[in-house]
Amino acid sequence: MRQIISVADLRPTPDPGHRTNEENRMGIMLFPGDGDVTSPDISWSYTGFSMFRKWLAHAEGFRLSEMCGFGGDRPWIGVSTTLAPLLDHPDDDGPDLTPAQCAAMLPRLEAIIGQRQHDDSDPVLRRRLEDTRQLVAVMNLCLDKDVELIFG
């Protein structure tokens, strides 16, 4: 059953359990662990990454703010989504995502793009879709080269 979530629920809020580096507020970058500095990557401010993950959680039918590590007490074990490794990941610390984890997430990310692209009049939606497309491209490169997706 899908919950109705208001726009107010998607506003940026601090991620108390996941912001691991309060001193460095520049942002987060996800990139292939291939050692090639010319490989594609994707980056956000911490707030932008938080908003992106809230949007993905909403697409999966739950509020990120309800989850353990994001201010809530709902355990991740009770959420059925292949996106959990991305959604429940510390901002700039923790394990990198394996090629197998990327492979498991790609079909769902591609489905979200396909479901949401019919209304391109909303600039926020356009941004989220573009971010998702970039993430898919980076994850595909990780699969092609059999390398991890690095959080940095």
Side-chain angles (χ1 to χ4, degrees), residues 101-133:
Q101 288 173 311
C102 291
M105 286 185 273
L106 278 170
R108 182 60 188 137
L109 291 169
E110 290 167 344
I112 289 170
I113 292 168
Q115 292 168 350
R116 305 287 175 148
Q117 65 185 356
H118 63 278
D119 178 15
D120 67 352
S121 64
D122 179 357
V124 173
L125 177 60
R126 281 196 313 264
R127 172 62 193 252
R128 300 290 175 260
L129 290 171
E130 182 55 33
D131 286 349
T132 307
R133 286 184 194 98

Side-chain angles (χ1 to χ4, degrees), residues 42-59:
I42 183 166
S43 60
W44 294 270
S45 66
Y46 283 109
T47 300
F49 187 52
S50 174
M51 291 169 60
F52 178 69
R53 291 196 293 185
K54 285 178 183 181
W55 179 77
L56 286 176
H58 178 245

Side-chain angles (χ1 to χ4, degrees), residues 6-106:
S6 73
V7 174
D9 294 324
L10 300 176
R11 287 190 190 126
T13 57
D15 294 341
H18 284 76
R19 177 152 300 133
T20 59
N21 188 351
E22 289 290 332
E23 297 301 316
N24 180 1
R25 294 179 184 255
M26 291 178 61
I28 183 168
M29 179 183 292
L30 278 59
F31 56 94
D34 60 0
D36 182 353
V37 296
T38 64
S39 289
D41 58 54
I42 183 166
S43 60
W44 294 270
S45 66
Y46 283 109
T47 300
F49 187 52
S50 174
M51 291 169 60
F52 178 69
R53 291 196 293 185
K54 285 178 183 181
W55 179 77
L56 286 176
H58 178 245
E60 294 298 89
F62 65 93
R63 289 186 184 132
L64 200 56
S65 62
E66 296 174 344
M67 304 308 298
C68 290
F70 291 91
D73 57 4
R74 184 175 177 190
W76 281 94
I77 195 85
V79 175
S80 177
T81 175
T82 58
L83 302 182
L86 176 66
L87 296 174
D88 184 29
H89 193 283
D91 287 350
D92 59 1
D93 197 14
D96 299 317
L97 299 182
T98 66
Q101 288 173 311
C102 291
M105 286 185 273
L106 278 170

